[in-house]
Amino acid sequence: VVSRSKEAKQAGVKMGMPMFMAKKDFPDVNYVVANHEKYHQYSKRVMSCLKDYSPDIEIVSVDEAYIDLTGTQRLFKKNYIEIAKDIREKIFRETDIPVSIGISHSKILAKLASDKAKKTGGIFKIGKNDILSVLKQTEIDELCGIGRANSLTLRKNGIILASEFVAKDD
């Protein structure tokens, strides 16, 4: 299993689980065989939509990218939330895919915002004044780059929240 819907996650299907085990343990879940060529085609269409808003795009994977919108507020005469809405609508119109967009000042915070956007309507912004309050509500293992082993080590050392992590010295 390499990808799961929120329903499959709630049912208990684990990432990386062998298919024969998943089908045995969760027979009521719908399983779809990957079509990598189709994913690649859709990914290109999504990334093409992003290029209409900025030339500065870092494609991370087939379904994730970072786009630098610095200065585009003046160009589009809209704030970042409005630009994100435009991007989201364009992608949906051209691909029929609902995307999540996170807006912030760094890639890690933008990724965190994108994860939060999945639960809050598709767009989430972490502004400079919001960072600490968001990190106080974010468990350490929700941060991109904090894997299972690091999360366990940090928790053993009393670091549960992202705000506790960033408060530590180097």
Side-chain angles (χ1 to χ4, degrees):
V1 175
V2 296
S3 181
R4 302 165 298 156
S5 67
K6 64 181 175 186
E7 296 84 1
K9 290 175 189 175
Q10 290 170 349
V13 178
K14 301 289 182 213
M15 186 67 84
M17 183 179 231
M19 187 62 74
F20 77 91
M21 288 176 61
K23 286 183 175 180
K24 178 179 164 254
D25 294 345
F26 306 98
D28 295 333
V29 170
N30 291 324
Y31 297 91
V32 179
V33 177
N35 183 336
H36 297 288
E37 180 57 34
K38 184 181 248 183
Y39 299 156
H40 181 69
Q41 289 171 358
Y42 272 88
S43 177
K44 284 175 67 173
R45 289 170 60 192
V46 169
M47 301 311 165
S48 177
C49 290
L50 296 179
K51 290 176 184 171
D52 289 345
Y53 292 88
S54 174
D56 193 357
I57 299 169
E58 179 184 342
I59 299 172
V60 180
S61 67
V62 70
D63 68 345
E64 188 171 348
Y66 295 101
I67 178 172
D68 187 348
L69 295 174
T70 304
T72 59
Q73 288 180 304
R74 293 177 77 192
L75 175 66
F76 295 114
K77 296 179 177 36
K78 296 181 178 187
N79 66 38
Y80 292 129
I81 296 285
E82 292 168 327
I83 295 169
K85 284 179 185 175
D86 288 352
I87 293 170
R88 194 164 187 266
E89 288 168 8
K90 179 179 181 70
I91 291 171
F92 189 77
R93 201 171 46 250
E94 297 197 13
T95 66
D96 207 30
I97 297 173
V99 297
S100 301
I101 298 177
I103 303 167
S104 199
H105 301 280
S106 72
K107 290 177 187 173
I108 288 180
L109 290 173
K111 172 67 173 148
L112 177 62
S114 178
D115 291 342
K116 291 189 179 296
K118 293 174 186 173
K119 300 171 188 161
T120 60
I123 297 172
F124 193 89
K125 179 181 175 193
I126 303 174
K128 286 182 181 179
N129 296 330
D130 307 319
I131 295 172
L132 191 55
S133 65
V134 170
L135 294 181
K136 284 181 179 178
Q137 300 169 32
T138 303
E139 294 203 16
I140 192 66
D141 51 3
E142 292 179 62
L143 291 180
C144 180
I146 303 290
R148 207 172 288 150
N150 284 334
S151 176
L152 288 173
T153 301
L154 291 166
R155 286 175 181 276
K156 283 180 188 174
N157 287 286
I159 299 172
I160 311 299
L161 300 174
S163 59
E164 297 166 335
F165 181 68
V166 299
K168 296 289 182 184
D169 62 30
D170 289 345

